[in-house]
Every structure is written in C-alpha cells, then in structure tokens.
Amino acid sequence: MKIALGCDHGGLEIKNAIKKYLENNGHTVIDVGTNTTDSVDYPVYAKAVCKEIQEKTAELGILCCGTGIGMSMAANKQDGIRAAVLSDEYCCEMTRRHNDANVLCLGGRVIDSEKAVKLAEIFITTEFEGGRHINRINMYS
Ligand code: RB5
C-alpha cells in the first residue's frame, strides 16, 4: 500500500516509528517531512499529505503533531479528505469501518511510539464497510 506521512516537530518521533514499521512491512512511504525537531507549521505538512491522496499517489495518509488536533483540522479543510484524530484502537478501527477515514491524525505528546505503530497498523488493515455508511459520508459536505 502507498501511504503518505507527515508531521511537525511535535510528531516527529512517532512519525519515524510509523515509517520504520511501514517500510519493514513492504509498504511504500511518501514522507513529506518534517525531518528535524525545528519548530515548523503543521498545516504545511497536513496539506502536503492531503495532496498526495487527492492526486492518488497515496491511498491513505498519516499525520502526526503534538496532539493530532491541528493536523486533523487542517486536513479536514481539504477536498476529499476525511481525517480522524484518535488515540485508541476502537476508534481507529471504527473510523475506517464506518467513516472511511483516509487520513489518521495522531499526537506525539499523547501516545507513545508503540501505540502509534499499533494504530497505524489497524488503520491500514481495516476495510470500509460501505453499505449504509456511504450515504452518511455523502452528507458530510
Ligand atoms: C506545536 O507546538 C503544536 O501546536 C502542534 O504540534 C499540534 O499539537 C497542534 O495541534
């Protein structure tokens, strides 16, 4: 699977852990940065990941900042993007099954790298259920 990754300084550590996991498991990673701990503006990276999805160069995206909140707010302003910020396994599974989320937003100051990798794994391996959920998703905009 092709997955776009982006982060700011607050999400760098968990993004790198997710990147390592994805690459070790045969996925193609498009890493839009950032790649240092210098303070940066998270919307730049949110938009870059969303662009990869809009242009279909990536199937799913993962964005990491301090809380995941700013990334999700920025991502959800982009056409065709359904971004979900969460920190537990149940919500991660359900946002794929029911919301067909295409961007996962995580907080590096909320969860550790082990949890981030677990959530990334659930996100990319859980399928959308379709059916009645399609109509509801079409009502978002
Ligand atoms: C940066 O300090 C922080 O505001 C950012 O990483 C994120 O948590 C915003 O929602």
Side-chain angles (χ1 to χ4, degrees), residues 27-69:
H27 298 284
T28 301
V29 172
I30 302 166
D31 183 353
V32 304
T34 188
N35 287 303
T36 75
T37 54
D38 294 346
S39 181
V40 293
D41 298 324
Y42 58 82
V44 171
Y45 302 92
K47 288 179 182 175
V49 161
C50 292
K51 190 161 179 275
E52 299 293 339
I53 294 169
Q54 288 165 334
E55 294 179 352
K56 302 194 190 308
T57 45
E59 293 154 79
L60 295 173
I62 301 176
L63 288 166
C64 307
C65 64
T67 60
I69 297 170

Side-chain angles (χ1 to χ4, degrees), residues 13-122:
E13 190 173 326
I14 62 170
K15 184 203 72 173
N16 284 339
I18 292 167
K19 182 177 182 180
K20 188 174 166 192
Y21 160 77
L22 292 174
E23 288 178 340
N24 286 346
N25 284 276
H27 298 284
T28 301
V29 172
I30 302 166
D31 183 353
V32 304
T34 188
N35 287 303
T36 75
T37 54
D38 294 346
S39 181
V40 293
D41 298 324
Y42 58 82
V44 171
Y45 302 92
K47 288 179 182 175
V49 161
C50 292
K51 190 161 179 275
E52 299 293 339
I53 294 169
Q54 288 165 334
E55 294 179 352
K56 302 194 190 308
T57 45
E59 293 154 79
L60 295 173
I62 301 176
L63 288 166
C64 307
C65 64
T67 60
I69 297 170
M71 285 293 199
S72 69
M73 289 181 171
N76 276 318
K77 292 274 189 185
Q78 312 307 309
D79 284 346
I81 299 301
R82 292 175 301 280
V85 56
L86 51 84
S87 56
D88 71 280
E89 288 86 342
Y90 176 75
C91 289
C92 194
E93 181 183 339
M94 295 312 289
T95 203
R96 285 290 307 129
R97 286 174 56 183
H98 286 192
N99 312 119
D100 197 18
N102 51 14
V103 175
L104 172 65
C105 300
L106 301 173
R109 297 173 188 152
V110 180
I111 57 171
D112 62 17
S113 290
E114 187 181 351
K115 175 66 81 73
V117 167
K118 181 68 193 161
L119 295 175
E121 181 184 35
I122 292 168

